Amino acid sequence: MSTLQTPRGPRRRLHPAWAVAVVAFLALVGAAGFRAAPGVLMVPLQQEFGWSTTVLSAAVSINLVLFGLTAPFAAALMERFGIRAVTATALVLIGMGSALTVLVSQSWQILLTWGLLIGLGTGSMALVFAATIANTWFTKSRGLVIGILTAGSAAGQLVFLPFIAMLAQDPGWRQASLLIAAGALAVVPLVLKFLKNSPADVGVLPYGADPVAADVEEPEAAADRKDGGRTNAAVRALQALRRASKVRTFWALAAGFAICGATTNGLIGTHFIPSAHDHGMPQTTAAGLLAVVGIFDIIGTIASGWLTDRFNPRVLLAVYYQFRGIGLLVLPLLLNAEVQPSMIVFVVIYGLDWVATVPPTAAICRETFGADGSVVFGWVFAAHQLGAAAAAIAAGALRDATGHYTYAWFGAAAMCTIAAVISATIRRHHSPREVEPAAA
């Protein structure tokens, strides 16, 4: 019989999984500071050092690539060394990278701080972290939990962005970089003390788990954990990729998520503020609009998690991508020196849709790939960031070549329609076992 206990009676009113989720949320908030930084800091860095938009976009692109490619290996490292150790290390890397930015004087140095250090740190704290927490600690309400944790990144943007914008303007961008570093490092003590690695660490089952089913399944799960402890994290991640690459659903999710990354982090996250600045809008005003995106992102992502627990995630993805495409199509008509009501409508709709794609994508990964779900989601997320990196540098090059971002917005709108079609045609897998022959 299992030695794990289940919460019952008044002795345990709140399952410890929820405490873990709260700490994970705070960690994601602390790690999210840099997500808001490039768009705000790009213009001050150009003004001080004379670097082109392409150079700074390249630094962001390196960050986004590492942000994505680190994710599946981080998921495997969490399986082997524990969620707590990997998360604390990631936050320290983000803090170091942001703090060291104040010392840069050459363009290659910004590639090292913005690109390498912060890319590795944020990659280990990517959306795969939310999926790992949900899959490890929750059997019930996984979609809702992923939605809440994903909203942590939006909350981080909401908390940091206005302050970063104000500090970048006065006294300067160096103080803004130090604020980001402080935000990441402040969460480390909470992670070390309260973020437990698994329900077994505190003698409980995952939230919503059936004790009878757990008794039957525990020997197999224990064997999986033992194997995971022996397997090198890189090998584990690559094995999961090899199995997933033989399943058509993986490529459909990766293609859709690449477009998702291109149209969020790559374009709006990196280039919205410079584009608005081109139209005469003050940076602080544009930053405020992105903060509003952050507010509605929280609402939209949590709602998406709730919907994912109840409706076909493939349909949800198709709807999300198509609405995003419509918004991008009209954006060039809305940019102006002053904020018009139509821009507010765009910001609200785009905010609701920003990362609403995460809960249904993670749910399809779990449904299709079973125990490999978190690591496979890491690889899908890698595609998200590769798309973001390509879009960030392409949009910067288009801006330098044409003097505006219009073609970038129109191209992104067309890609969203492609993502909607791909998502709607993903096959349903009723059990991970159905794909095992194809993935063998």
Side-chain angles (χ1 to χ4, degrees):
M1 292 294 290
S2 171
T3 59
L4 296 179
Q5 302 171 5
T6 55
R8 54 180 178 269
R11 290 178 297 174
R12 193 186 294 278
R13 295 183 179 180
L14 183 68
H15 193 285
W18 293 108
V20 170
V22 169
V23 177
F25 181 91
L26 293 175
L28 285 165
V29 170
F34 185 78
R35 303 264 53 83
V40 175
L41 302 184
M42 195 173 287
V43 173
L45 284 167
Q46 286 177 317
Q47 292 173 344
E48 179 168 338
F49 296 106
W51 299 333
S52 69
T53 304
T54 302
V55 167
L56 292 171
S57 297
V60 176
S61 293
I62 292 171
N63 172 278
L64 293 173
V65 168
L66 290 175
F67 187 29
L69 291 181
T70 303
F73 298 98
L77 285 169
M78 288 177 186
E79 289 181 357
R80 182 170 185 183
F81 298 107
I83 297 171
R84 179 170 50 200
V86 175
T87 303
T89 301
L91 288 167
V92 170
L93 283 174
I94 295 168
M96 287 176 55
S98 189
L100 290 173
T101 299
V102 304
L103 304 176
V104 302
S105 59
Q106 304 291 327
S107 60
W108 67 267
Q109 294 168 341
I110 202 73
L111 301 180
L112 177 64
T113 56
W114 276 22
L116 181 62
L117 291 177
I118 298 178
L120 290 173
T122 53
S124 300
M125 287 291 298
L127 301 181
V128 69
F129 172 64
T132 300
I133 291 290
N135 290 338
T136 301
W137 280 90
F138 293 84
T139 297
K140 180 182 178 183
S141 302
R142 277 186 182 135
L144 177 62
V145 171
I146 291 176
I148 292 172
L149 294 182
T150 303
S153 294
Q157 183 185 63
L158 170 64
V159 169
F160 283 103
L161 186 55
F163 294 105
I164 293 172
M166 287 188 293
L167 287 174
Q169 191 172 56
D170 184 23
W173 63 267
R174 289 177 176 81
Q175 286 75 11
S177 296
L178 292 175
L179 172 66
I180 297 168
L185 295 176
V187 189
V188 173
L190 292 176
V191 168
L192 293 175
K193 184 171 179 60
F194 297 110
L195 188 63
K196 306 300 182 182
N197 291 322
S198 71
D201 287 353
V202 290
V204 300
L205 295 172
Y207 176 76
D210 181 353
V212 176
D215 283 341
V216 174
E217 295 173 2
E218 187 183 347
E220 181 180 350
D224 288 343
R225 287 193 296 270
K226 186 177 180 182
D227 289 342
R230 289 197 305 262
T231 303
N232 180 278
V235 173
R236 168 81 173 98
L238 293 172
Q239 287 175 341
L241 174 62
R242 179 179 60 84
R243 290 190 288 268
S245 66
K246 298 178 182 179
V247 182
R248 186 178 303 170
T249 296
F250 169 76
W251 295 108
L253 291 173
F257 232 38
I259 293 172
C260 179
T263 53
T264 51
N265 300 100
L267 284 176
I268 295 294
T270 304
H271 293 288
F272 177 81
I273 292 177
S275 180
H277 184 73
D278 286 345
H279 288 78
M281 184 181 293
Q283 280 199 100
T284 51
T285 302
L289 289 175
L290 283 186
V292 175
V293 168
I295 295 174
F296 285 93
D297 183 14
I298 297 171
I299 299 170
T301 307
I302 294 174
S304 178
W306 184 87
L307 290 169
T308 299
D309 287 331
R310 291 161 176 78
F311 299 101
N312 186 342
R314 296 150 188 81
V315 175
L316 295 177
L317 283 177
V319 172
Y320 296 158
Y321 284 130
Q322 193 56 66
F323 268 99
R324 186 181 300 177
I326 294 171
L328 287 167
L329 188 65
V330 301
L331 178 59
L333 305 176
L334 307 180
L335 289 168
N336 203 297
E338 298 180 353
V339 178
Q340 304 295 330
S342 54
M343 176 59 79
I344 299 297
V345 173
F346 168 83
V347 165
V348 170
I349 294 176
Y350 215 84
L352 291 172
D353 199 303
W354 182 263
V355 286
T357 54
V358 172
T361 301
I364 295 171
C365 284
R366 177 73 186 184
E367 170 196 302
T368 306
F369 301 104
D372 281 346
S374 293
V375 179
V376 172
F377 179 70
W379 285 111
V380 172
F381 182 72
H384 181 282
Q385 294 309 113
L386 290 174
I393 196 165
L398 278 172
R399 167 63 178 80
D400 285 341
T402 66
H404 56 77
Y405 286 99
T406 304
Y407 296 137
W409 305 132
F410 287 163
M415 289 192 297
C416 283
T417 298
I418 295 172
V421 173
I422 291 173
S423 300
T425 56
I426 294 174
R427 292 174 54 194
R428 177 185 290 273
H429 297 281
H430 297 287
S431 166
R433 292 182 177 87
E434 293 184 12
V435 301
E436 285 177 1

